[in-house]
Amino acid sequence: MLRLKKLQIDVNTTNGLFKCDVPFTDGLNIIRGDNTTGKSTCLEAVLYCLGMEELLGGRNEKTMQSVLKTELQYGDGKKYLVVESMLTLEVSNGAKSIALRRAVKSSYRDSRLVEIIDGPALTSPSNTYSSQFAYLHDPGAATDADFGFHAYLEEFLGLQLPIVEHFSGSETKLYLQTLFPTFFIEQKSGWADFLATIPRFGIRNVKSRSIEFILNMDVIENCRKRQTIAQKKAELLGRWRSCYDAAVRTARSCGGLLAGFGRKPTTFLNADEIYIHIIKEEKEIPLGDYVSELHDELRKIEKIPIPTVGNSVEKAGSELNSVLEELNTKSLRHDQLLAEVGDAVSKLANLNKQLKDIESDLRKNKSAIKVQDYGAQLKLNIAEQACPTCQQSIKDFLLPQDIEQEPLRIDQNVSFLEEQRKMVITYIAGQKNTIENKQRLLNAIRNEIHGIRKRSRLLRKELVSDERQPSEAEIEKKVNLRQQIAELTHADELLSEELIELTELSRQWKEVLEEEAKLPKNYFSELDSTKLSELEEEFKALLSKFGYRSKSQDYVSISRDTYLPSVEPLNVKTGTHDYNIRFDSSASDFIRSIWAFTCALFKVSKSQVGNHPYLLVFDEPAQHSMANVSIAAFLEELETYIDAQVIVAASFNNSESDFKEITAGRNFTLYKIDKNLLAP
Amino acid sequence: MITFRKKPIAVSPEYRPMYRVCQIVMVLGMASIKKTASLLKLHFFSWAMRSEKNMAEAIKFSKQTRSEFVAVKIWNVEPSLNRALAYAIAEGIIELNGGRYHLASKGENLLRVILEDEQLLISEKKFLNTVKKKISEAHLQRLSKWWENKDA
């Protein structure tokens, strides 16, 4: 938890020291002061001491009011120059108190430094407390456990911030600053939207992440688990692929093909079914069978002594004839295959281009659906296919309206394109497969042609060589066979080595898949769903308590997507898209819904043991001439949060009677600023 | 007897009124000085945002300096943009002042909503953030003059 104890502001001016002390108690605190007396200065100072000034839209001293850095007005409009200013805030985490001191304007202290005093230096001053400095807004401020202030504060508050996804695709810690807008509503822009002042830090869906953490939802943990599993899978996939590629290279090195497993990891890896195919005569033969065939042939040749050229010349002559014939047919087939491959490749290129076009069209169409929704929220006629001038229905296209064609609705258009995309993807896969097969055949034929040519050259040579010489063709045949057998056996050995690693990878793959199966099927765990419906119930109950009237409660809900209040559209056409309650509420009702949402978050976090710091701060909740009864109802609600600390700064329309009317019967601690927050 | 029924046709998002109006709003809000632009400029950007290729050409065009002139392959002028402009004016999203189109406050609201949604119109936003306001009316005048003279 985070509890404020006391704030001290010291401003040294050309006319001496001005200061103020603002004590805070548990339960409801009201800071009352007329306009421009310094209520916001006071609450902004709290943020500044906690290093949270990014909620005010900047960093360091430039976020602070001029009274703390340039010029101080006092009494009858006299102005004094600020020489030095220092803010000190004492906070407690329930067990321990510390004081945080930070300079706004100082000649000797950098505004990025926060002095952490290890003890209640404001409520019971003593000079025995040790102190240390920590820094802000530098790389490492959030993670450096020794000198980073936010890392210190995170530990002090007993929080453990989760790792979340960054827009760049990398990961980052959820910053502490992103939590504050869930309980600290600052005046300048805090009332513009839910969590309006949240700094983004490039975190994807930062508001949702922050709410998830405040409610301590399982989604965070599950997301993290999902990510580690995805990482492990990616790593295994990479190793599997390199293994597969190595095996493919092995197969190719001996002119064969790999069978029995693919580039995708599988848990059913049967080592017996993995072997190399050799293509012969456009047919596939398992390597083992082929090797034994070669062995047989070799044995047959070895039985017969090598004949001389004279003995084999006739045989050579007829063999040359048949070899030449074979060469002819093979060359024809080769050319035919080559043309087919070329054809298939250009078809593939065409399909790829088509796919790219469809995908870009899809992206645009999806944007078109969204802008249609946004248009409807802004109540634009054209978004509802009505003429903005005469309200008659128009066709949803920009072609001349008198064309007698009905356009597809955008969502139909999208599903039409999705179908096309699926189809083209299937075609592409098929086409790739065809190319691969043809290429394979082509390579085999090339090798065969190469062999035949070599053989024919040898036979020709033999026909003209000395008759008494031993037949070179026969010797060559023998040597060739031996060499081929050696090569193939070597490849087989390599493959079995690769199989050992693949079996191990397959086992690990199975483990990962099992882990993945253990993750909850639904995005939300049961507890998460309970938390969200409780949030919705609380939110609705508080809305009616605070007098919200813009929209019937039946349409109000908490979006399961953003966790923010949303209104379901009456418009059936746009389907399930809900939108921000802001669009459909009056200005004061939107403020009521911010009150209700901030309170509901606290209540649910409390009942479901979330990470809420039990602190709620509202700077001027009475925006947009809010009705007094509504503020009274709001304070009545806040009063019941006795185990939390609630701080409300308000002017009560600068009127004593309004103040009395609104706070009648309430139990609270009042800090009244009479004229100026700072006094000599 | 055979009866024929007309089937609805697929329409490119560029021909959807809302989509086009959003493009106009983005061009006025992100790429135009004082949120005001001429018809010529709107047509140029409408052509540019048609495809990645056009965007690349437009970016090259935006990077030209005073001394070197980059000619863009002539862009086309389409009636559909004029219809979208008519709708946008009727909706009060933009205003026509002295022959120039200006983003009205309703249009600024729309622009804010578009910019808030990070998943929306990603490549268009990237393009407009790259050229920013570098493609000025003067640039375009110069380009259209160049084409006129070329024809003559």
Side-chain angles (χ1 to χ4, degrees), chain A residues 2 4 6 15 18 82 110 141 143 194 296 343 430 440 479 593:
Chain A
L2 173 61
L4 310 183
K6 196 175 192 181
N15 195 36
F18 284 70
V82 173
D110 191 312
T143 48
F194 300 103
D296 286 350
D343 198 30
R440 215 179 274 159
V479 172
S593 53

Side-chain angles (χ1 to χ4, degrees), chain A residues 518-536:
Chain A
K518 273 187 218 144
L519 287 174
K521 293 259 172 336
N522 297 328
Y523 184 70
F524 294 122
S525 70
E526 227 164 276
L527 189 58
D528 283 354
S529 300
T530 318
K531 285 176 183 171
L532 288 176
S533 32
E534 201 178 315
L535 185 66
E536 190 168 300

Side-chain angles (χ1 to χ4, degrees), chain A residues 167 200 204 361 364-365 367-368 370-372 374-375 378 380-383 388-389 394 396-401 404-410 413 416 582, chain B residues 6-22 49-50 80 83-84 87 90-91 93 106 109-110 113 116-121 124:
Chain A
F167 260 116
R200 289 179 186 271
R204 218 174 258 277
D361 236 28
K364 286 185 176 174
N365 263 299
S367 289
K370 275 194 177 173
V371 298
Q372 197 97 337
Y374 290 141
L378 293 174
L380 300 182
N381 287 309
I382 46 171
T389 317
I394 54 172
D396 190 20
F397 58 32
L398 287 169
L399 303 169
Q401 289 291 325
E404 290 204 17
Q405 281 286 6
E406 276 303 314
L408 276 176
R409 284 203 327 257
I410 302 187
N413 214 144
F416 171 75
R582 180 174 55 171
Chain B
K6 202 162 264 174
K7 281 262 196 291
I9 52 162
V11 171
S12 159
E14 271 105 2
Y15 287 107
R16 303 283 185 186
M18 258 323 284
Y19 190 84
R20 215 44 183 285
V21 167
C22 287
M49 289 196 279
R50 275 258 141 165
S80 65
R83 288 191 197 99
Y87 282 140
E91 288 282 14
I93 292 170
K106 200 166 171 188
N109 280 340
L110 180 59
V113 179
E116 256 175 33
D117 189 332
E118 283 145 352
Q119 314 290 336
L120 189 65
L121 297 162
E124 283 84 350

